[in-house]
Amino acid sequence: MLTAVIWISVMGLSICRPSENQLNTESEEVRSEAIKRLLEVFGMEDPPAALVRGHKQPPQYMLDLYNTIADVNGVTKDPTLLEGNTVRSFFNKLHSEQIEFLFNMSMVAKSEKILTAELHLFKLRPQASLTFNRQHFCQVSVYQVLDSSKKNVSQGKKLLSSRLVPIHSSGWEVFTITQAVRSWMLDEGSNLGLLVSVRTLAGLQMDPKTVRFASGQNHHHSKQPMLVLFTDDGRRAASLELTPKGSDDSPVGQRLPFPSLPLSATARRSARSIDYDESGEKMPCQRLPLYVDFEEIGWSGWIVSPRGYNAYHCKGSCPFPLGQNMRPTNHATVQSIINALKLTKGIETPCCVPDKLFSINLLYFDDDENVVLKQYDDMVAGSCGCH
Protein backbone atom coordinates (compact mmCIF):
# COMPACT_ATOMS: atom_id res chain seq x y z
CA MET A 1 0.00 0.00 0.00
CA LEU A 2 1.27 3.45 -0.89
CA THR A 3 1.69 5.83 1.99
CA ALA A 4 0.55 9.42 1.73
CA VAL A 5 4.10 10.74 1.67
CA ILE A 6 7.41 9.16 0.60
CA TRP A 7 10.56 10.38 2.38
CA ILE A 8 13.90 10.17 0.57
CA SER A 9 17.23 10.88 2.29
CA VAL A 10 19.79 12.57 0.05
CA MET A 11 23.17 13.60 1.52
CA GLY A 12 21.66 13.76 4.95
CA LEU A 13 18.72 15.91 3.83
CA SER A 14 15.14 14.66 4.04
CA ILE A 15 13.07 15.39 0.92
CA CYS A 16 9.29 15.04 1.00
CA ARG A 17 7.87 13.74 -2.27
CA PRO A 18 4.08 13.36 -2.76
CA SER A 19 2.78 9.87 -3.44
CA GLU A 20 0.99 8.82 -6.63
CA ASN A 21 -2.37 8.86 -4.85
CA GLN A 22 -1.77 12.39 -3.64
CA LEU A 23 -0.75 13.55 -7.12
CA ASN A 24 -3.87 11.97 -8.64
CA THR A 25 -6.08 13.66 -6.03
CA GLU A 26 -4.49 17.05 -6.71
CA SER A 27 -4.85 16.50 -10.46
CA GLU A 28 -8.57 15.75 -10.08
CA GLU A 29 -9.05 18.81 -7.87
CA VAL A 30 -7.35 21.04 -10.43
CA ARG A 31 -9.44 19.55 -13.26
CA SER A 32 -12.66 20.01 -11.28
CA GLU A 33 -11.79 23.63 -10.48
CA ALA A 34 -10.77 24.29 -14.10
CA ILE A 35 -14.07 22.90 -15.47
CA LYS A 36 -16.01 24.96 -12.92
CA ARG A 37 -14.22 28.13 -14.02
CA LEU A 38 -14.76 27.31 -17.70
CA LEU A 39 -18.48 26.88 -17.05
CA GLU A 40 -18.48 30.35 -15.46
CA VAL A 41 -16.96 31.76 -18.65
CA PHE A 42 -19.88 30.21 -20.55
CA GLY A 43 -22.39 31.58 -18.04
CA MET A 44 -23.36 28.23 -16.48
CA GLU A 45 -23.23 26.71 -13.02
CA ASP A 46 -23.48 23.10 -14.21
CA PRO A 47 -23.26 21.54 -17.66
CA PRO A 48 -26.61 20.51 -19.19
CA ALA A 49 -27.43 16.80 -18.98
CA ALA A 50 -25.72 14.93 -21.83
CA LEU A 51 -28.02 13.67 -24.58
CA VAL A 52 -27.68 10.48 -26.60
CA ARG A 53 -26.49 11.90 -29.89
CA GLY A 54 -28.87 11.15 -32.76
CA HIS A 55 -31.99 10.75 -30.60
CA LYS A 56 -32.60 14.50 -30.66
CA GLN A 57 -32.03 16.70 -33.68
CA PRO A 58 -31.73 20.50 -33.46
CA PRO A 59 -34.25 22.54 -35.49
CA GLN A 60 -33.04 23.36 -38.99
CA TYR A 61 -33.76 27.03 -38.32
CA MET A 62 -31.24 27.05 -35.46
CA LEU A 63 -28.62 25.24 -37.56
CA ASP A 64 -29.10 27.70 -40.42
CA LEU A 65 -28.93 30.67 -38.04
CA TYR A 66 -25.71 29.35 -36.50
CA ASN A 67 -24.12 28.85 -39.94
CA THR A 68 -25.18 32.36 -40.93
CA ILE A 69 -23.49 34.14 -38.03
CA ALA A 70 -20.53 31.80 -37.35
CA ASP A 71 -17.74 30.26 -39.41
CA VAL A 72 -16.72 26.57 -39.22
CA ASN A 73 -14.82 27.25 -35.98
CA GLY A 74 -17.73 29.07 -34.33
CA VAL A 75 -16.10 32.51 -34.65
CA THR A 76 -18.57 35.34 -35.32
CA LYS A 77 -18.55 36.51 -38.93
CA ASP A 78 -20.19 39.87 -38.25
CA PRO A 79 -21.12 41.09 -34.71
CA THR A 80 -24.07 43.08 -36.10
CA LEU A 81 -25.89 40.05 -37.54
CA LEU A 82 -27.36 38.82 -34.26
CA GLU A 83 -29.80 40.81 -32.14
CA GLY A 84 -28.66 40.41 -28.54
CA ASN A 85 -26.41 37.49 -27.66
CA THR A 86 -28.82 34.59 -27.07
CA VAL A 87 -31.37 32.78 -29.26
CA ARG A 88 -33.53 30.02 -27.77
CA SER A 89 -35.93 27.64 -29.49
CA PHE A 90 -38.89 25.99 -27.71
CA PHE A 91 -41.18 23.22 -28.92
CA ASN A 92 -44.90 22.99 -28.24
CA LYS A 93 -45.81 21.18 -24.99
CA LEU A 94 -49.55 21.06 -25.70
CA HIS A 95 -51.31 18.60 -28.02
CA SER A 96 -54.78 19.94 -28.75
CA GLU A 97 -57.38 19.45 -31.48
CA GLN A 98 -57.41 23.22 -31.88
CA ILE A 99 -54.50 25.27 -33.22
CA GLU A 100 -53.27 25.89 -29.70
CA PHE A 101 -49.71 25.99 -28.35
CA LEU A 102 -47.96 26.09 -24.98
CA PHE A 103 -44.23 26.70 -24.49
CA ASN A 104 -42.25 26.16 -21.28
CA MET A 105 -40.17 29.30 -20.66
CA SER A 106 -38.68 28.25 -17.30
CA MET A 107 -35.14 28.00 -18.72
CA VAL A 108 -35.07 31.75 -19.46
CA ALA A 109 -33.45 33.73 -16.65
CA LYS A 110 -35.43 36.61 -15.18
CA SER A 111 -32.46 38.88 -15.79
CA GLU A 112 -32.47 38.33 -19.56
CA LYS A 113 -33.79 41.19 -21.65
CA ILE A 114 -36.51 40.02 -24.06
CA LEU A 115 -35.81 41.55 -27.47
CA THR A 116 -37.99 39.64 -29.94
CA ALA A 117 -40.19 36.55 -29.77
CA GLU A 118 -41.50 34.72 -32.82
CA LEU A 119 -43.98 31.90 -33.39
CA HIS A 120 -42.87 29.68 -36.29
CA LEU A 121 -45.61 27.57 -37.89
CA PHE A 122 -45.16 25.29 -40.89
CA LYS A 123 -48.14 25.62 -43.24
CA LEU A 124 -49.06 22.45 -45.11
CA ARG A 125 -50.47 22.35 -48.62
CA PRO A 126 -54.28 22.00 -48.85
CA GLN A 127 -55.54 18.50 -49.48
CA ALA A 128 -55.91 17.57 -53.17
CA SER A 129 -59.71 17.68 -53.04
CA LEU A 130 -59.57 21.31 -51.89
CA THR A 131 -56.98 22.68 -54.28
CA PHE A 132 -59.67 24.32 -56.47
CA ASN A 133 -60.85 26.58 -53.68
CA ARG A 134 -61.72 29.96 -55.21
CA GLN A 135 -60.24 31.89 -52.32
CA HIS A 136 -56.55 32.75 -52.56
CA PHE A 137 -55.87 34.26 -49.12
CA CYS A 138 -56.91 33.74 -45.52
CA GLN A 139 -56.50 35.80 -42.33
CA VAL A 140 -54.27 34.07 -39.77
CA SER A 141 -54.36 35.61 -36.28
CA VAL A 142 -52.33 34.68 -33.21
CA TYR A 143 -53.84 35.33 -29.75
CA GLN A 144 -52.44 35.22 -26.24
CA VAL A 145 -54.75 33.18 -24.03
CA LEU A 146 -55.71 35.25 -20.97
CA ASP A 147 -58.43 33.00 -19.56
CA SER A 148 -58.46 29.33 -20.55
CA SER A 149 -62.19 29.06 -19.75
CA LYS A 150 -63.01 31.92 -22.15
CA LYS A 151 -60.35 31.44 -24.84
CA ASN A 152 -62.96 31.09 -27.61
CA VAL A 153 -64.48 34.50 -26.87
CA SER A 154 -62.89 37.94 -27.20
CA GLN A 155 -62.64 38.50 -23.43
CA GLY A 156 -60.40 35.48 -22.92
CA LYS A 157 -57.70 36.31 -25.44
CA LYS A 158 -55.52 39.15 -26.71
CA LEU A 159 -54.56 39.68 -30.36
CA LEU A 160 -50.79 39.60 -30.89
CA SER A 161 -50.33 39.34 -34.64
CA SER A 162 -52.51 39.01 -37.73
CA ARG A 163 -51.85 38.94 -41.47
CA LEU A 164 -52.91 37.49 -44.81
CA VAL A 165 -51.47 34.13 -45.83
CA PRO A 166 -51.81 32.50 -49.30
CA ILE A 167 -54.10 29.48 -49.03
CA HIS A 168 -52.31 27.36 -51.64
CA SER A 169 -48.77 27.97 -50.36
CA SER A 170 -46.69 25.80 -48.04
CA GLY A 171 -43.73 26.61 -45.82
CA TRP A 172 -42.84 28.50 -42.66
CA GLU A 173 -44.98 31.39 -41.46
CA VAL A 174 -43.55 33.63 -38.72
CA PHE A 175 -45.59 35.76 -36.30
CA THR A 176 -44.25 38.24 -33.73
CA ILE A 177 -45.44 37.49 -30.17
CA THR A 178 -42.98 39.58 -28.14
CA GLN A 179 -45.69 41.18 -25.94
CA ALA A 180 -46.94 37.81 -24.73
CA VAL A 181 -43.50 36.48 -23.82
CA ARG A 182 -42.63 39.66 -21.91
CA SER A 183 -45.81 39.31 -19.87
CA TRP A 184 -45.04 35.62 -19.20
CA MET A 185 -41.59 36.56 -17.89
CA LEU A 186 -43.16 39.05 -15.47
CA ASP A 187 -45.73 36.51 -14.29
CA GLU A 188 -44.97 32.86 -15.04
CA GLY A 189 -48.51 31.88 -14.08
CA SER A 190 -49.96 34.00 -16.87
CA ASN A 191 -48.49 31.68 -19.52
CA LEU A 192 -51.69 29.95 -20.66
CA GLY A 193 -50.50 29.49 -24.21
CA LEU A 194 -51.31 30.79 -27.67
CA LEU A 195 -54.35 30.30 -29.88
CA VAL A 196 -54.31 30.58 -33.69
CA SER A 197 -57.41 31.49 -35.67
CA VAL A 198 -57.82 31.07 -39.45
CA ARG A 199 -60.66 32.98 -41.14
CA THR A 200 -61.78 34.02 -44.58
CA LEU A 201 -61.42 37.63 -45.71
CA ALA A 202 -65.11 37.98 -44.82
CA GLY A 203 -64.36 36.96 -41.24
CA LEU A 204 -65.83 33.45 -41.37
CA GLN A 205 -64.10 30.49 -39.72
CA MET A 206 -62.34 28.42 -42.36
CA ASP A 207 -62.56 24.65 -42.78
CA PRO A 208 -59.59 23.16 -40.79
CA LYS A 209 -58.82 20.91 -43.77
CA THR A 210 -58.26 23.91 -46.02
CA VAL A 211 -55.52 25.63 -44.03
CA ARG A 212 -53.42 23.28 -41.89
CA PHE A 213 -50.30 23.75 -39.80
CA ALA A 214 -47.97 20.86 -38.96
CA SER A 215 -48.24 19.77 -35.33
CA GLY A 216 -48.07 16.57 -33.29
CA GLN A 217 -46.78 13.08 -33.99
CA ASN A 218 -48.34 12.95 -37.47
CA HIS A 219 -45.72 15.36 -38.81
CA HIS A 220 -41.92 15.31 -38.96
CA HIS A 221 -40.01 16.93 -36.07
CA SER A 222 -38.43 19.41 -38.53
CA LYS A 223 -41.89 20.94 -39.14
CA GLN A 224 -43.11 21.19 -35.54
CA PRO A 225 -44.39 24.53 -34.16
CA MET A 226 -41.59 26.47 -32.50
CA LEU A 227 -41.15 29.59 -30.43
CA VAL A 228 -37.90 31.44 -31.18
CA LEU A 229 -36.74 33.91 -28.56
CA PHE A 230 -34.01 36.55 -29.00
CA THR A 231 -32.62 37.88 -25.71
CA ASP A 232 -29.61 39.62 -24.19
CA ASP A 233 -28.26 38.31 -20.88
CA GLY A 234 -26.35 41.52 -20.09
CA ARG A 235 -22.90 39.92 -20.13
CA ARG A 236 -21.76 42.07 -23.04
CA ALA A 237 -22.72 45.31 -21.26
CA ALA A 238 -20.95 44.17 -18.09
CA SER A 239 -17.81 43.38 -20.10
CA LEU A 240 -17.81 46.82 -21.73
CA GLU A 241 -18.14 48.52 -18.32
CA LEU A 242 -14.91 46.82 -17.23
CA THR A 243 -13.03 48.06 -20.30
CA PRO A 244 -10.60 50.91 -19.45
CA LYS A 245 -11.78 54.26 -20.75
CA GLY A 246 -9.75 56.42 -23.09
CA SER A 247 -7.96 53.52 -24.82
CA ASP A 248 -7.75 53.23 -28.59
CA ASP A 249 -7.27 49.47 -28.40
CA SER A 250 -9.95 46.80 -28.58
CA PRO A 251 -11.04 45.62 -25.13
CA VAL A 252 -8.93 42.79 -23.80
CA GLY A 253 -12.03 41.27 -22.22
CA GLN A 254 -13.67 40.83 -18.87
CA ARG A 255 -11.30 39.79 -16.10
CA LEU A 256 -12.88 37.10 -13.94
CA PRO A 257 -11.74 36.93 -10.28
CA PHE A 258 -9.93 33.60 -10.66
CA PRO A 259 -7.83 32.58 -7.64
CA SER A 260 -4.20 31.98 -8.52
CA LEU A 261 -3.02 28.40 -8.20
CA PRO A 262 0.49 27.67 -6.87
CA LEU A 263 2.96 26.88 -9.67
CA SER A 264 5.08 23.76 -9.63
CA ALA A 265 8.84 24.01 -10.16
CA THR A 266 8.36 22.89 -13.78
CA ALA A 267 5.72 25.54 -14.37
CA ARG A 268 7.96 28.22 -12.85
CA ARG A 269 10.82 27.22 -15.16
CA SER A 270 8.39 27.30 -18.10
CA ALA A 271 7.22 30.79 -17.12
CA ARG A 272 10.81 32.05 -17.03
CA SER A 273 11.56 30.64 -20.50
CA ILE A 274 8.33 31.76 -22.14
CA ASP A 275 10.06 34.22 -24.52
CA TYR A 276 12.44 31.65 -26.03
CA ASP A 277 11.91 29.11 -28.80
CA GLU A 278 13.35 25.56 -28.90
CA SER A 279 16.71 26.76 -30.23
CA GLY A 280 17.14 29.16 -27.33
CA GLU A 281 16.58 32.25 -29.48
CA LYS A 282 14.33 35.03 -28.23
CA MET A 283 10.92 34.77 -29.86
CA PRO A 284 9.16 38.03 -30.77
CA CYS A 285 5.59 38.62 -29.66
CA GLN A 286 3.28 36.56 -31.84
CA ARG A 287 0.00 34.65 -31.98
CA LEU A 288 0.16 30.87 -31.58
CA PRO A 289 -2.53 28.15 -31.75
CA LEU A 290 -4.47 27.08 -28.65
CA TYR A 291 -7.21 24.58 -29.52
CA VAL A 292 -10.05 24.03 -27.07
CA ASP A 293 -11.54 20.56 -27.65
CA PHE A 294 -15.02 20.20 -26.12
CA GLU A 295 -14.90 16.41 -26.51
CA GLU A 296 -11.75 16.18 -24.39
CA ILE A 297 -13.39 18.37 -21.75
CA GLY A 298 -16.40 16.03 -21.75
CA TRP A 299 -18.96 18.42 -23.25
CA SER A 300 -19.61 16.73 -26.61
CA GLY A 301 -22.87 15.20 -25.33
CA TRP A 302 -24.73 18.54 -25.21
CA ILE A 303 -22.83 20.85 -27.56
CA VAL A 304 -24.09 20.66 -31.15
CA SER A 305 -21.52 22.98 -32.72
CA PRO A 306 -18.64 23.68 -32.83
CA ARG A 307 -16.77 20.58 -31.65
CA GLY A 308 -14.02 22.89 -30.48
CA TYR A 309 -12.38 26.15 -31.44
CA ASN A 310 -8.95 27.76 -31.73
CA ALA A 311 -8.69 30.36 -28.96
CA TYR A 312 -5.04 31.18 -29.86
CA HIS A 313 -2.63 32.63 -27.32
CA CYS A 314 0.09 35.26 -27.30
CA LYS A 315 3.70 34.43 -26.60
CA GLY A 316 7.06 36.11 -27.04
CA SER A 317 9.18 39.02 -25.94
CA CYS A 318 8.77 42.75 -26.40
CA PRO A 319 12.38 43.95 -26.71
CA PHE A 320 13.49 47.55 -27.01
CA PRO A 321 12.97 49.32 -29.37
CA LEU A 322 9.38 48.33 -30.05
CA GLY A 323 8.60 48.35 -33.77
CA GLN A 324 5.16 48.94 -35.25
CA ASN A 325 4.98 45.22 -36.09
CA MET A 326 4.73 44.66 -32.32
CA ARG A 327 1.50 46.74 -32.32
CA PRO A 328 2.58 48.58 -29.14
CA THR A 329 0.44 51.06 -27.27
CA ASN A 330 1.93 54.46 -26.40
CA HIS A 331 2.05 53.33 -22.78
CA ALA A 332 4.00 50.19 -23.73
CA THR A 333 6.47 52.27 -25.76
CA VAL A 334 7.13 54.58 -22.81
CA GLN A 335 7.47 51.59 -20.45
CA SER A 336 9.95 49.96 -22.85
CA ILE A 337 12.05 53.13 -22.93
CA ILE A 338 12.06 53.46 -19.12
CA ASN A 339 13.09 49.81 -18.82
CA ALA A 340 15.89 50.18 -21.40
CA LEU A 341 17.32 53.31 -19.76
CA LYS A 342 16.91 51.76 -16.28
CA LEU A 343 15.45 55.03 -15.03
CA THR A 344 13.25 53.33 -12.46
CA LYS A 345 13.87 50.09 -10.59
CA GLY A 346 11.42 47.21 -10.98
CA ILE A 347 10.00 48.29 -14.33
CA GLU A 348 9.71 45.24 -16.57
CA THR A 349 9.46 45.11 -20.35
CA PRO A 350 5.93 45.26 -21.81
CA CYS A 351 3.99 42.01 -22.08
CA CYS A 352 2.83 40.15 -25.17
CA VAL A 353 -0.99 40.02 -24.87
CA PRO A 354 -4.09 39.89 -27.11
CA ASP A 355 -4.92 43.33 -28.51
CA LYS A 356 -7.91 42.21 -30.55
CA LEU A 357 -10.48 39.63 -29.44
CA PHE A 358 -13.31 37.95 -31.32
CA SER A 359 -16.50 36.33 -30.09
CA ILE A 360 -17.52 32.71 -30.63
CA ASN A 361 -20.96 31.10 -30.89
CA LEU A 362 -22.14 27.95 -29.17
CA LEU A 363 -25.13 25.88 -30.31
CA TYR A 364 -26.23 23.49 -27.57
CA PHE A 365 -29.07 21.67 -25.79
CA ASP A 366 -30.15 22.96 -22.39
CA ASP A 367 -31.57 20.82 -19.56
CA ASP A 368 -35.08 20.98 -21.05
CA GLU A 369 -33.76 19.83 -24.46
CA ASN A 370 -34.32 23.28 -25.98
CA VAL A 371 -31.68 24.30 -28.49
CA VAL A 372 -29.81 27.49 -27.57
CA LEU A 373 -27.50 29.65 -29.66
CA LYS A 374 -25.31 31.84 -27.49
CA GLN A 375 -22.61 34.32 -28.39
CA TYR A 376 -19.63 34.83 -26.08
CA ASP A 377 -17.41 37.90 -26.37
CA ASP A 378 -13.61 38.00 -26.14
CA MET A 379 -13.00 34.27 -26.65
CA VAL A 380 -10.49 34.26 -29.52
CA ALA A 381 -7.23 36.21 -29.70
CA GLY A 382 -7.42 37.90 -33.09
CA SER A 383 -3.96 39.44 -32.88
CA CYS A 384 -1.19 40.06 -30.34
CA GLY A 385 0.75 43.14 -29.34
CA CYS A 386 3.08 44.55 -26.72
CA HIS A 387 1.15 46.27 -23.94
Side-chain angles (χ1 to χ4, degrees):
M1 179 183 293
L2 290 172
T3 57
V5 177
I6 299 175
W7 290 89
I8 301 176
S9 179
V10 180
M11 297 179 65
L13 298 176
S14 294
I15 301 175
C16 178
R17 190 175 71 185
S19 69
E20 184 177 347
N21 285 346
Q22 188 175 3
L23 289 174
N24 288 339
T25 301
E26 291 177 354
S27 177
E28 285 301 317
E29 289 177 353
V30 170
R31 177 180 173 81
S32 176
E33 183 67 15
I35 296 297
K36 178 182 176 183
R37 297 302 185 185
L38 191 58
L39 282 168
E40 288 182 6
V41 171
F42 287 101
M44 304 176 188
E45 292 184 4
D46 298 296
L51 298 169
V52 179
R53 183 59 62 209
H55 286 196
K56 188 80 173 180
Q57 295 296 323
Q60 189 60 45
Y61 174 84
M62 297 298 287
L63 290 172
D64 292 342
L65 182 61
Y66 173 85
N67 291 325
T68 298
I69 66 173
D71 64 16
V72 292
N73 297 310
V75 180
T76 305
K77 295 177 183 177
D78 182 351
T80 64
L81 290 177
L82 187 64
E83 184 181 14
N85 59 11
T86 307
V87 185
R88 302 176 186 273
S89 59
F90 304 86
F91 283 109
N92 181 32
K93 300 292 185 181
L94 189 65
H95 301 289
S96 170
E97 294 181 0
Q98 302 185 67
I99 313 177
E100 192 172 3
F101 311 102
L102 183 66
F103 301 95
N104 182 3
M105 313 292 292
S106 61
M107 297 303 296
V108 183
K110 296 289 186 182
S111 58
E112 289 188 41
K113 182 181 180 182
I114 307 299
L115 301 175
T116 305
E118 300 173 342
L119 176 64
H120 291 221
L121 300 176
F122 189 87
K123 184 181 174 298
L124 302 168
R125 287 191 183 278
Q127 295 178 0
S129 60
L130 301 171
T131 54
F132 297 103
N133 192 306
R134 293 181 179 179
Q135 300 185 62
H136 297 286
F137 290 90
C138 62
Q139 188 82 28
V140 179
S141 303
V142 180
Y143 294 90
Q144 176 185 356
V145 177
L146 302 176
D147 186 339
S148 56
S149 64
K150 299 179 181 179
K151 60 188 175 186
N152 292 320
V153 296
S154 58
Q155 295 93 331
K157 58 189 179 183
K158 175 184 177 182
L159 180 64
L160 298 173
S161 180
S162 183
R163 59 185 176 82
L164 297 180
V165 173
I167 290 178
H168 300 286
S169 68
S170 68
W172 287 101
E173 300 291 343
V174 180
F175 302 88
T176 301
I177 56 168
T178 310
Q179 291 181 3
V181 174
R182 284 176 177 166
S183 68
W184 295 342
M185 294 305 298
L186 292 174
D187 179 10
E188 187 176 344
S190 67
N191 182 3
L192 301 177
L194 302 169
L195 187 66
V196 176
S197 170
V198 182
R199 296 183 177 274
T200 66
L201 298 187
L204 301 176
Q205 191 75 34
M206 289 200 71
D207 185 343
K209 295 181 180 179
T210 305
V211 177
R212 300 177 302 142
F213 295 101
S215 182
Q217 298 180 352
N218 296 330
H219 301 100
H220 195 265
H221 69 85
S222 64
K223 298 179 180 179
Q224 294 298 314
M226 181 173 60
L227 188 155
V228 178
L229 181 62
F230 295 81
T231 69
D232 195 305
D233 62 9
R235 288 165 60 89
R236 180 173 299 168
S239 176
L240 291 176
E241 286 176 3
L242 293 175
T243 304
K245 305 297 181 182
S247 171
D248 294 332
D249 300 294
S250 300
V252 178
Q254 182 175 351
R255 291 287 185 261
L256 297 177
F258 292 174
S260 57
L261 297 175
L263 291 174
S264 63
T266 304
R268 286 194 295 270
R269 286 194 297 271
S270 175
R272 287 197 297 268
S273 59
I274 194 169
D275 296 338
Y276 296 86
D277 59 21
E278 294 178 355
S279 64
E281 295 293 325
K282 267 203 169 185
M283 183 175 65
C285 179
Q286 58 189 281
R287 189 180 75 154
L288 298 174
L290 173 60
Y291 189 75
V292 180
D293 191 326
F294 292 134
E295 186 171 357
E296 287 187 359
I297 296 172
W299 290 1
S300 60
W302 54 275
I303 293 180
V304 178
S305 196
R307 291 302 186 191
Y309 75 100
N310 202 335
Y312 294 99
H313 73 288
C314 298
K315 183 177 181 180
S317 61
C318 296
F320 176 83
L322 295 178
Q324 287 305 308
N325 62 316
M326 298 289 184
R327 303 170 62 89
T329 60
N330 289 336
H331 180 274
T333 300
V334 172
Q335 181 175 332
S336 178
I337 294 170
I338 298 298
N339 170 267
L341 296 178
K342 296 180 173 51
L343 297 179
T344 305
K345 289 184 178 181
I347 302 300
E348 302 290 339
T349 58
C351 297
C352 179
V353 296
D355 62 359
K356 183 179 292 184
L357 291 143
F358 300 135
S359 61
I360 66 164
N361 301 270
L362 216 61
L363 189 68
Y364 65 91
F365 287 97
D366 66 15
D367 280 325
D368 201 32
E369 297 190 356
N370 303 310
V371 175
V372 181
L373 171 59
K374 206 166 183 67
Q375 196 169 89
Y376 298 92
D377 290 342
D378 304 339
M379 297 295 285
V380 176
S383 61
C384 301
C386 294
H387 287 209

